[in-house]
Short mmCIF file of all heavy atoms in Angstrom, two decimals:
data_model
loop_
_atom_site.label_atom_id
_atom_site.label_comp_id
_atom_site.label_asym_id
_atom_site.label_seq_id
_atom_site.Cartn_x
_atom_site.Cartn_y
_atom_site.Cartn_z
N THR A 1 4.88 5.01 -3.05
CA THR A 1 5.13 6.29 -2.43
C THR A 1 6.62 6.50 -2.17
O THR A 1 7.40 5.55 -2.03
CB THR A 1 4.39 6.40 -1.08
OG1 THR A 1 4.62 7.68 -0.47
CG2 THR A 1 4.87 5.32 -0.10
N LYS A 2 7.02 7.78 -2.15
CA LYS A 2 8.28 8.12 -1.54
C LYS A 2 8.17 7.80 -0.07
O LYS A 2 7.10 7.94 0.53
CB LYS A 2 8.60 9.59 -1.75
CG LYS A 2 8.75 10.02 -3.22
CD LYS A 2 10.00 9.44 -3.83
CE LYS A 2 10.20 9.97 -5.26
NZ LYS A 2 11.37 9.33 -5.93
N PRO A 3 9.24 7.38 0.60
CA PRO A 3 9.12 6.89 1.97
C PRO A 3 8.43 7.83 2.95
O PRO A 3 7.77 7.35 3.89
CB PRO A 3 10.59 6.63 2.38
CG PRO A 3 11.27 6.34 1.08
CD PRO A 3 10.62 7.22 0.07
N ASN A 4 8.54 9.15 2.75
CA ASN A 4 7.95 10.08 3.71
C ASN A 4 7.02 11.07 3.03
O ASN A 4 6.88 12.24 3.48
CB ASN A 4 9.06 10.83 4.47
CG ASN A 4 9.79 9.92 5.44
OD1 ASN A 4 9.20 9.42 6.39
ND2 ASN A 4 11.09 9.71 5.20
N SER A 5 6.32 10.64 2.00
CA SER A 5 5.37 11.50 1.32
C SER A 5 4.07 11.59 2.13
O SER A 5 3.28 10.64 2.17
CB SER A 5 5.06 11.00 -0.09
OG SER A 5 3.95 11.68 -0.65
N LEU A 6 3.84 12.74 2.76
CA LEU A 6 2.63 12.91 3.57
C LEU A 6 1.38 12.85 2.70
O LEU A 6 0.39 12.21 3.07
CB LEU A 6 2.69 14.26 4.30
CG LEU A 6 1.47 14.62 5.15
CD1 LEU A 6 1.24 13.59 6.25
CD2 LEU A 6 1.60 16.01 5.74
N ARG A 7 1.44 13.44 1.52
CA ARG A 7 0.25 13.47 0.66
C ARG A 7 -0.13 12.05 0.22
O ARG A 7 -1.30 11.66 0.27
CB ARG A 7 0.54 14.34 -0.57
CG ARG A 7 -0.70 14.66 -1.40
CD ARG A 7 -0.38 15.70 -2.45
NE ARG A 7 -1.53 15.93 -3.31
CZ ARG A 7 -1.49 16.03 -4.63
NH1 ARG A 7 -0.33 15.94 -5.24
NH2 ARG A 7 -2.56 16.26 -5.32
N ASP A 8 0.85 11.27 -0.19
CA ASP A 8 0.57 9.88 -0.60
C ASP A 8 -0.01 9.10 0.58
O ASP A 8 -0.98 8.33 0.42
CB ASP A 8 1.82 9.19 -1.10
CG ASP A 8 1.94 9.24 -2.62
OD1 ASP A 8 0.90 9.10 -3.29
OD2 ASP A 8 3.06 9.41 -3.13
N CYS A 9 0.60 9.24 1.74
CA CYS A 9 0.19 8.42 2.89
C CYS A 9 -1.23 8.78 3.34
O CYS A 9 -2.00 7.89 3.73
CB CYS A 9 1.18 8.59 4.03
SG CYS A 9 2.76 7.75 3.74
N ILE A 10 -1.60 10.07 3.28
CA ILE A 10 -2.95 10.44 3.66
C ILE A 10 -3.97 9.90 2.67
O ILE A 10 -5.01 9.36 3.04
CB ILE A 10 -3.08 11.99 3.80
CG1 ILE A 10 -2.41 12.45 5.09
CG2 ILE A 10 -4.54 12.43 3.78
CD1 ILE A 10 -2.48 13.93 5.33
N TRP A 11 -3.68 10.02 1.37
CA TRP A 11 -4.61 9.52 0.38
C TRP A 11 -4.76 8.00 0.45
O TRP A 11 -5.85 7.45 0.35
CB TRP A 11 -4.21 9.97 -1.02
CG TRP A 11 -4.79 11.30 -1.38
CD1 TRP A 11 -4.24 12.52 -1.22
CD2 TRP A 11 -6.08 11.52 -1.94
NE1 TRP A 11 -5.09 13.50 -1.65
CE2 TRP A 11 -6.23 12.93 -2.10
CE3 TRP A 11 -7.14 10.71 -2.31
CZ2 TRP A 11 -7.40 13.50 -2.61
CZ3 TRP A 11 -8.29 11.27 -2.84
CH2 TRP A 11 -8.42 12.65 -2.98
N PHE A 12 -3.64 7.32 0.64
CA PHE A 12 -3.68 5.87 0.82
C PHE A 12 -4.51 5.53 2.04
O PHE A 12 -5.39 4.64 1.97
CB PHE A 12 -2.26 5.32 0.96
CG PHE A 12 -2.22 3.94 1.58
CD1 PHE A 12 -2.52 2.81 0.80
CD2 PHE A 12 -1.93 3.76 2.91
CE1 PHE A 12 -2.47 1.54 1.38
CE2 PHE A 12 -1.88 2.49 3.50
CZ PHE A 12 -2.18 1.38 2.72
N TRP A 13 -4.24 6.16 3.14
CA TRP A 13 -4.94 5.90 4.40
C TRP A 13 -6.46 6.06 4.23
O TRP A 13 -7.24 5.19 4.67
CB TRP A 13 -4.44 6.84 5.50
CG TRP A 13 -5.06 6.61 6.84
CD1 TRP A 13 -6.33 6.93 7.24
CD2 TRP A 13 -4.44 5.99 7.96
NE1 TRP A 13 -6.53 6.56 8.53
CE2 TRP A 13 -5.39 6.00 9.00
CE3 TRP A 13 -3.16 5.47 8.19
CZ2 TRP A 13 -5.10 5.45 10.27
CZ3 TRP A 13 -2.88 4.94 9.44
CH2 TRP A 13 -3.83 4.94 10.46
N ASN A 14 -6.88 7.14 3.59
CA ASN A 14 -8.31 7.43 3.48
C ASN A 14 -9.01 6.51 2.48
O ASN A 14 -10.15 6.13 2.66
CB ASN A 14 -8.52 8.89 3.10
CG ASN A 14 -8.18 9.82 4.24
OD1 ASN A 14 -8.11 9.39 5.40
ND2 ASN A 14 -7.97 11.08 3.96
N CYS A 15 -8.31 6.12 1.40
CA CYS A 15 -8.93 5.16 0.48
C CYS A 15 -9.03 3.78 1.14
O CYS A 15 -10.04 3.09 1.01
CB CYS A 15 -8.11 5.05 -0.80
SG CYS A 15 -8.28 6.50 -1.90
N ARG A 16 -8.01 3.41 1.90
CA ARG A 16 -8.07 2.14 2.63
C ARG A 16 -9.21 2.16 3.65
O ARG A 16 -9.88 1.14 3.88
CB ARG A 16 -6.74 1.87 3.31
CG ARG A 16 -6.69 0.54 4.10
CD ARG A 16 -5.38 0.38 4.82
NE ARG A 16 -5.16 1.44 5.77
CZ ARG A 16 -4.04 1.61 6.46
NH1 ARG A 16 -3.01 0.78 6.27
NH2 ARG A 16 -3.91 2.61 7.30
N ALA A 17 -9.44 3.31 4.29
CA ALA A 17 -10.50 3.41 5.31
C ALA A 17 -11.86 3.11 4.74
O ALA A 17 -12.76 2.69 5.45
CB ALA A 17 -10.47 4.79 5.93
N LEU A 18 -12.06 3.33 3.44
CA LEU A 18 -13.38 3.18 2.82
C LEU A 18 -13.47 1.90 1.97
O LEU A 18 -14.51 1.71 1.29
CB LEU A 18 -13.67 4.39 1.94
CG LEU A 18 -13.81 5.72 2.67
CD1 LEU A 18 -14.14 6.84 1.66
CD2 LEU A 18 -14.90 5.66 3.73
N ARG A 19 -12.50 1.06 2.01
CA ARG A 19 -12.58 -0.15 1.18
C ARG A 19 -13.66 -1.10 1.72
O ARG A 19 -13.98 -1.09 2.92
CB ARG A 19 -11.24 -0.88 1.18
CG ARG A 19 -10.84 -1.42 2.52
CD ARG A 19 -9.55 -2.19 2.47
NE ARG A 19 -9.10 -2.51 3.83
CZ ARG A 19 -8.12 -3.39 4.06
NH1 ARG A 19 -7.53 -4.00 3.06
NH2 ARG A 19 -7.75 -3.63 5.30
N PRO A 20 -14.29 -1.88 0.85
CA PRO A 20 -15.26 -2.87 1.32
C PRO A 20 -14.59 -3.94 2.17
O PRO A 20 -13.47 -4.32 1.91
CB PRO A 20 -15.84 -3.42 0.02
CG PRO A 20 -14.76 -3.21 -1.00
CD PRO A 20 -14.08 -1.95 -0.62
N LEU A 21 -15.32 -4.43 3.15
CA LEU A 21 -14.76 -5.39 4.09
C LEU A 21 -15.54 -6.72 4.15
O LEU A 21 -14.96 -7.76 4.44
CB LEU A 21 -14.71 -4.81 5.50
CG LEU A 21 -13.86 -3.56 5.70
CD1 LEU A 21 -14.10 -2.97 7.06
CD2 LEU A 21 -12.41 -3.87 5.48
N THR A 22 -16.83 -6.67 3.87
CA THR A 22 -17.67 -7.84 4.05
C THR A 22 -18.07 -8.50 2.74
O THR A 22 -17.89 -9.69 2.52
CB THR A 22 -18.95 -7.48 4.84
OG1 THR A 22 -18.57 -6.95 6.11
CG2 THR A 22 -19.82 -8.72 5.05
N PHE A 23 -18.64 -7.71 1.84
CA PHE A 23 -19.24 -8.26 0.63
C PHE A 23 -18.25 -8.40 -0.52
O PHE A 23 -18.54 -9.06 -1.50
CB PHE A 23 -20.44 -7.40 0.20
CG PHE A 23 -21.47 -7.28 1.28
CD1 PHE A 23 -21.62 -6.10 1.97
CD2 PHE A 23 -22.26 -8.36 1.61
CE1 PHE A 23 -22.58 -6.00 2.97
CE2 PHE A 23 -23.23 -8.27 2.60
CZ PHE A 23 -23.39 -7.07 3.30
N ASP A 24 -17.12 -7.79 -0.40
CA ASP A 24 -16.12 -7.88 -1.43
C ASP A 24 -14.75 -7.67 -0.78
O ASP A 24 -14.65 -7.29 0.40
CB ASP A 24 -16.35 -6.84 -2.53
CG ASP A 24 -15.61 -7.17 -3.81
OD1 ASP A 24 -14.98 -8.25 -3.88
OD2 ASP A 24 -15.63 -6.35 -4.74
N ARG A 25 -13.71 -7.93 -1.54
CA ARG A 25 -12.36 -7.76 -1.05
C ARG A 25 -11.64 -6.79 -1.96
O ARG A 25 -11.57 -7.00 -3.19
CB ARG A 25 -11.67 -9.12 -1.03
CG ARG A 25 -10.25 -9.06 -0.45
CD ARG A 25 -9.71 -10.46 -0.22
NE ARG A 25 -8.26 -10.41 -0.02
CZ ARG A 25 -7.38 -11.06 -0.77
NH1 ARG A 25 -7.80 -11.79 -1.78
NH2 ARG A 25 -6.10 -10.95 -0.53
N LEU A 26 -11.10 -5.72 -1.38
CA LEU A 26 -10.31 -4.77 -2.13
C LEU A 26 -8.93 -4.68 -1.47
O LEU A 26 -8.72 -3.89 -0.58
CB LEU A 26 -10.98 -3.38 -2.15
CG LEU A 26 -10.16 -2.23 -2.72
CD1 LEU A 26 -9.77 -2.53 -4.19
CD2 LEU A 26 -10.93 -0.92 -2.68
N PRO A 27 -7.98 -5.54 -1.88
CA PRO A 27 -6.65 -5.44 -1.31
C PRO A 27 -6.02 -4.10 -1.70
O PRO A 27 -6.05 -3.71 -2.86
CB PRO A 27 -5.90 -6.61 -1.95
CG PRO A 27 -6.98 -7.50 -2.53
CD PRO A 27 -8.09 -6.58 -2.88
N ILE A 28 -5.46 -3.40 -0.72
CA ILE A 28 -4.79 -2.14 -1.00
C ILE A 28 -3.51 -2.10 -0.17
O ILE A 28 -3.54 -2.25 1.05
CB ILE A 28 -5.72 -0.94 -0.69
CG1 ILE A 28 -4.99 0.40 -0.90
CG2 ILE A 28 -6.34 -1.01 0.69
CD1 ILE A 28 -5.91 1.61 -0.89
N HIS A 29 -2.37 -1.92 -0.85
CA HIS A 29 -1.08 -2.04 -0.23
C HIS A 29 -0.23 -0.81 -0.55
O HIS A 29 -0.28 -0.29 -1.66
CB HIS A 29 -0.34 -3.29 -0.71
CG HIS A 29 -1.13 -4.55 -0.58
ND1 HIS A 29 -1.61 -5.02 0.63
CD2 HIS A 29 -1.54 -5.44 -1.51
CE1 HIS A 29 -2.27 -6.14 0.44
NE2 HIS A 29 -2.26 -6.43 -0.86
N LEU A 30 0.54 -0.37 0.43
CA LEU A 30 1.44 0.75 0.29
C LEU A 30 2.88 0.23 0.27
O LEU A 30 3.29 -0.52 1.15
CB LEU A 30 1.25 1.72 1.47
CG LEU A 30 2.02 3.04 1.44
CD1 LEU A 30 1.52 3.92 0.31
CD2 LEU A 30 1.88 3.77 2.78
N VAL A 31 3.67 0.62 -0.77
CA VAL A 31 5.06 0.17 -0.86
C VAL A 31 5.95 1.36 -1.23
O VAL A 31 5.52 2.26 -1.94
CB VAL A 31 5.24 -0.94 -1.93
CG1 VAL A 31 4.47 -2.20 -1.51
CG2 VAL A 31 4.82 -0.48 -3.29
N PRO A 32 7.18 1.38 -0.73
CA PRO A 32 8.12 2.43 -1.13
C PRO A 32 8.59 2.24 -2.57
O PRO A 32 8.63 1.10 -3.06
CB PRO A 32 9.27 2.27 -0.12
CG PRO A 32 9.23 0.82 0.24
CD PRO A 32 7.76 0.42 0.20
N ASP A 33 8.93 3.34 -3.24
CA ASP A 33 9.18 3.24 -4.67
C ASP A 33 10.46 2.54 -5.05
O ASP A 33 10.57 2.02 -6.16
CB ASP A 33 9.16 4.66 -5.29
CG ASP A 33 10.24 5.55 -4.72
OD1 ASP A 33 10.57 5.41 -3.53
OD2 ASP A 33 10.77 6.41 -5.46
N VAL A 34 11.44 2.47 -4.16
CA VAL A 34 12.72 1.86 -4.52
C VAL A 34 13.07 0.69 -3.61
O VAL A 34 13.47 -0.39 -4.07
CB VAL A 34 13.86 2.90 -4.47
CG1 VAL A 34 15.22 2.25 -4.73
CG2 VAL A 34 13.60 4.02 -5.49
N GLU A 35 12.89 0.88 -2.34
CA GLU A 35 13.41 -0.07 -1.34
C GLU A 35 12.87 -1.49 -1.52
O GLU A 35 13.56 -2.47 -1.25
CB GLU A 35 13.05 0.41 0.06
CG GLU A 35 13.68 -0.34 1.21
CD GLU A 35 13.34 0.27 2.55
OE1 GLU A 35 12.57 1.26 2.58
OE2 GLU A 35 13.83 -0.25 3.56
N HIS A 36 11.63 -1.65 -2.02
CA HIS A 36 11.04 -2.97 -2.13
C HIS A 36 11.81 -3.91 -3.06
O HIS A 36 11.72 -5.13 -2.96
CB HIS A 36 9.59 -2.85 -2.65
CG HIS A 36 9.50 -2.51 -4.11
ND1 HIS A 36 9.59 -1.22 -4.57
CD2 HIS A 36 9.37 -3.32 -5.20
CE1 HIS A 36 9.50 -1.26 -5.90
NE2 HIS A 36 9.37 -2.49 -6.30
N GLU A 37 12.63 -3.32 -3.96
CA GLU A 37 13.39 -4.16 -4.90
C GLU A 37 14.45 -4.99 -4.18
O GLU A 37 14.99 -5.94 -4.76
CB GLU A 37 13.99 -3.29 -5.99
CG GLU A 37 12.95 -2.64 -6.90
CD GLU A 37 13.57 -1.76 -7.97
OE1 GLU A 37 14.78 -1.47 -7.86
OE2 GLU A 37 12.84 -1.36 -8.88
N ASP A 38 14.80 -4.60 -2.96
CA ASP A 38 15.81 -5.34 -2.19
C ASP A 38 15.20 -6.42 -1.29
O ASP A 38 15.91 -7.11 -0.59
CB ASP A 38 16.62 -4.37 -1.32
CG ASP A 38 17.43 -3.39 -2.16
OD1 ASP A 38 17.85 -3.77 -3.25
OD2 ASP A 38 17.61 -2.23 -1.71
N TRP A 39 13.87 -6.52 -1.30
CA TRP A 39 13.21 -7.51 -0.45
C TRP A 39 13.16 -8.86 -1.16
O TRP A 39 12.47 -9.02 -2.19
CB TRP A 39 11.78 -7.07 -0.11
CG TRP A 39 11.73 -5.74 0.61
CD1 TRP A 39 12.76 -5.09 1.23
CD2 TRP A 39 10.55 -4.91 0.78
NE1 TRP A 39 12.31 -3.90 1.77
CE2 TRP A 39 10.96 -3.77 1.53
CE3 TRP A 39 9.23 -5.05 0.41
CZ2 TRP A 39 10.08 -2.77 1.87
CZ3 TRP A 39 8.34 -4.06 0.74
CH2 TRP A 39 8.76 -2.94 1.48
N VAL A 40 13.88 -9.81 -0.65
CA VAL A 40 14.03 -11.11 -1.30
C VAL A 40 12.67 -11.79 -1.46
O VAL A 40 11.91 -11.92 -0.49
CB VAL A 40 14.99 -12.01 -0.48
CG1 VAL A 40 15.07 -13.41 -1.11
CG2 VAL A 40 16.38 -11.38 -0.41
N ASP A 41 12.36 -12.19 -2.68
CA ASP A 41 11.16 -12.96 -3.00
C ASP A 41 9.86 -12.16 -2.84
O ASP A 41 8.77 -12.74 -2.91
CB ASP A 41 11.10 -14.22 -2.11
CG ASP A 41 10.50 -15.41 -2.86
OD1 ASP A 41 10.58 -15.44 -4.10
OD2 ASP A 41 9.91 -16.27 -2.21
N PHE A 42 9.95 -10.84 -2.65
CA PHE A 42 8.72 -10.07 -2.46
C PHE A 42 7.86 -10.06 -3.72
O PHE A 42 6.63 -10.08 -3.63
CB PHE A 42 9.08 -8.62 -2.06
CG PHE A 42 7.89 -7.78 -1.75
CD1 PHE A 42 7.13 -8.00 -0.61
CD2 PHE A 42 7.53 -6.72 -2.58
CE1 PHE A 42 6.02 -7.21 -0.31
CE2 PHE A 42 6.42 -5.92 -2.29
CZ PHE A 42 5.67 -6.16 -1.15
N ASP A 43 8.50 -10.02 -4.90
CA ASP A 43 7.73 -10.03 -6.13
C ASP A 43 6.89 -11.30 -6.26
O ASP A 43 5.73 -11.26 -6.69
CB ASP A 43 8.65 -9.87 -7.33
CG ASP A 43 9.71 -10.96 -7.41
OD1 ASP A 43 10.10 -11.50 -6.34
OD2 ASP A 43 10.16 -11.28 -8.53
N ARG A 44 7.46 -12.42 -5.86
CA ARG A 44 6.69 -13.68 -5.93
C ARG A 44 5.54 -13.66 -4.92
O ARG A 44 4.44 -14.14 -5.22
CB ARG A 44 7.61 -14.86 -5.61
CG ARG A 44 6.92 -16.22 -5.79
CD ARG A 44 7.70 -17.34 -5.16
NE ARG A 44 7.86 -17.14 -3.72
CZ ARG A 44 6.90 -17.43 -2.82
NH1 ARG A 44 5.74 -17.88 -3.22
NH2 ARG A 44 7.14 -17.24 -1.54
N GLN A 45 5.74 -13.08 -3.75
CA GLN A 45 4.68 -12.99 -2.77
C GLN A 45 3.53 -12.09 -3.25
O GLN A 45 2.37 -12.38 -3.01
CB GLN A 45 5.24 -12.47 -1.44
CG GLN A 45 6.14 -13.48 -0.72
CD GLN A 45 6.70 -12.90 0.58
OE1 GLN A 45 7.41 -11.90 0.57
NE2 GLN A 45 6.40 -13.55 1.68
#
């Protein structure tokens, strides 16, 4: 997402709200489109 994209954040929020929690695992993560490249070792994580 762009850091302050309301549309992206709402859609992410609502899809995360409906992810399975018990019988399966659906990892869902929100990241900014540029800033994450400066996070040391984030790609490895």
Side-chain angles (χ1 to χ4, degrees):
T1 182
K2 298 291 185 184
N4 289 297
S5 169
L6 178 61
R7 191 171 176 223
D8 264 322
C9 288
I10 285 181
W11 271 93
F12 162 79
W13 182 286
N14 289 341
C15 286
R16 181 184 60 187
L18 295 181
R19 64 177 172 167
L21 299 171
T22 301
F23 302 107
D24 199 5
R25 182 170 165 238
L26 172 59
I28 177 168
H29 307 300
L30 185 67
V31 296
D33 62 326
V34 175
E35 189 177 3
H36 74 276
E37 294 179 348
D38 296 328
W39 300 344
V40 176
D41 214 26
F42 184 69
D43 58 332
R44 186 195 61 79
Q45 290 178 299

